[in-house]
Amino acid sequence: GQNIDQPTEMTATEGAIVQINCTYQTSGFNGLFWYQQHAGEAPTFLSYNVLDGLEEKGRFSSFLSRSKGYSYLLLKELQMKDSASYLCAVSLDRGSTLGRLYFGRGTQLTVWP
Amino acid sequence: DAGVTQSPTHLIKTRGQHVTLRCSPISGHKSVSWYQQVLGQGPQFIFQYYEKEERGRGNFPDRFSARQFPNYSSELNVNALLLGDSALYLCASRYTSNTEAFFGQGTRLTVV
């Protein structure tokens, strides 16, 4: 089966930096996604990493190491509105599972003033 | 450019009833996938369609079915609703199977 693991909860203060880790063991790999999801809303796309390395988009950065089955999402200059669940998802590349996304349970981030 | 649109946004049904959920992908996107998300969990894969053909099915009973139309929009049908089918149903749109995936706002289904 597919296994994607991320911490359940994290807390941080406004203006700080937080790193949310994700480890995965999957049968195949065709990219890793990070999504932000506020309570009761749909996931919002943050990043898509296919190759190893760091990708930066404003206050958000995402890192991937395929050999280690590891990714992280880095959030800088935290704001109250960043309080949300952050979902890690792996896209598979094999046969009938091509393009299918497998999600972790999500990391609930709470930002305190 | 319109994003992924889903309808309806909220729905209340009674056990045993049938429901149809609809999704319109981003213009030009040919791949549509459906996910079920229950409270406190990540989304679970239900179906994937690409170019109007089913390309994958998750571990869901036969009560769940879907199809994709020539304009790439899609429907998810669920028969004989159970209380456990209450969830947020999400539609994801991709240009191909190895590009970014974007979600619609979801349909909140409550079965009573």
Side-chain angles (χ1 to χ4, degrees):
Chain A
Q2 322 300 335
N3 188 45
I4 299 167
D5 196 31
Q6 52 182 131
T8 305
E9 294 180 339
M10 298 184 73
T11 60
T13 53
E14 217 173 358
I17 299 173
V18 70
Q19 177 174 312
I20 303 174
N21 296 323
C22 172
T23 58
Y24 63 90
Q25 291 177 303
T26 56
S27 53
F29 179 85
N30 196 28
L32 187 141
F33 289 86
W34 283 98
Y35 291 90
Q36 180 192 63
Q37 187 175 30
H38 287 99
E41 298 182 8
T44 301
F45 172 82
L46 292 177
S47 66
Y48 177 43
N49 293 65
V50 179
L51 302 177
D52 289 353
L54 183 69
E55 293 201 6
E56 299 183 74
K57 285 184 183 180
R59 294 190 301 114
F60 292 70
S61 302
S62 56
F63 172 83
L64 175 66
S65 169
R66 289 172 295 170
S67 62
K68 295 182 179 177
Y70 168 69
S71 173
Y72 68 73
L73 180 69
L74 192 70
L75 294 77
K76 303 175 186 174
E77 301 169 16
L78 282 172
Q79 303 174 10
M80 299 290 289
K81 67 178 182 180
D82 297 329
S83 292
S85 179
Y86 291 84
L87 298 164
C88 171
V90 172
S91 183
L92 301 189
D93 66 349
R94 305 258 175 97
S96 63
T97 64
L98 176 65
R100 188 180 303 190
L101 298 183
Y102 280 90
F103 284 84
R105 297 186 61 149
T107 298
Q108 182 63 46
L109 174 66
T110 302
V111 180
W112 298 103
Chain B
D1 233 358
V4 184
T5 57
Q6 292 186 243
S7 63
T9 55
H10 294 83
L11 203 52
I12 300 175
K13 289 286 191 177
T14 306
R15 277 178 298 175
Q17 284 190 312
H18 162 270
V19 68
T20 298
L21 310 181
R22 296 178 174 83
C23 171
S24 292
I26 292 170
S27 178
H29 284 197
K30 302 177 182 179
S31 174
V32 171
S33 298
W34 288 94
Y35 293 81
Q36 180 197 65
Q37 186 178 24
V38 298
L39 199 62
Q41 307 263 346
Q44 298 291 313
F45 172 79
I46 310 175
F47 282 109
Q48 180 186 7
Y49 279 80
Y50 181 73
E51 286 280 20
K52 292 155 282 182
E53 290 187 6
E54 183 181 307
R55 293 298 181 94
R57 182 188 181 107
N59 192 22
F60 280 80
D62 292 343
R63 299 184 295 107
F64 288 76
S65 63
R67 55 180 175 168
Q68 187 177 34
F69 299 100
N71 66 354
Y72 302 112
S73 67
S74 177
E75 281 183 356
L76 175 69
N77 295 282
V78 187
N79 293 322
L81 284 167
L82 303 174
L83 295 179
D85 295 331
S86 296
L88 179 66
Y89 287 85
L90 297 163
C91 172
S93 164
R94 302 175 85 168
Y95 177 66
T96 65
S97 296
N98 60 353
T99 55
E100 294 90 340
F102 298 95
F103 284 88
Q105 78 274 31
T107 294
R108 173 72 62 186
L109 173 65
T110 302
V111 182
V112 297

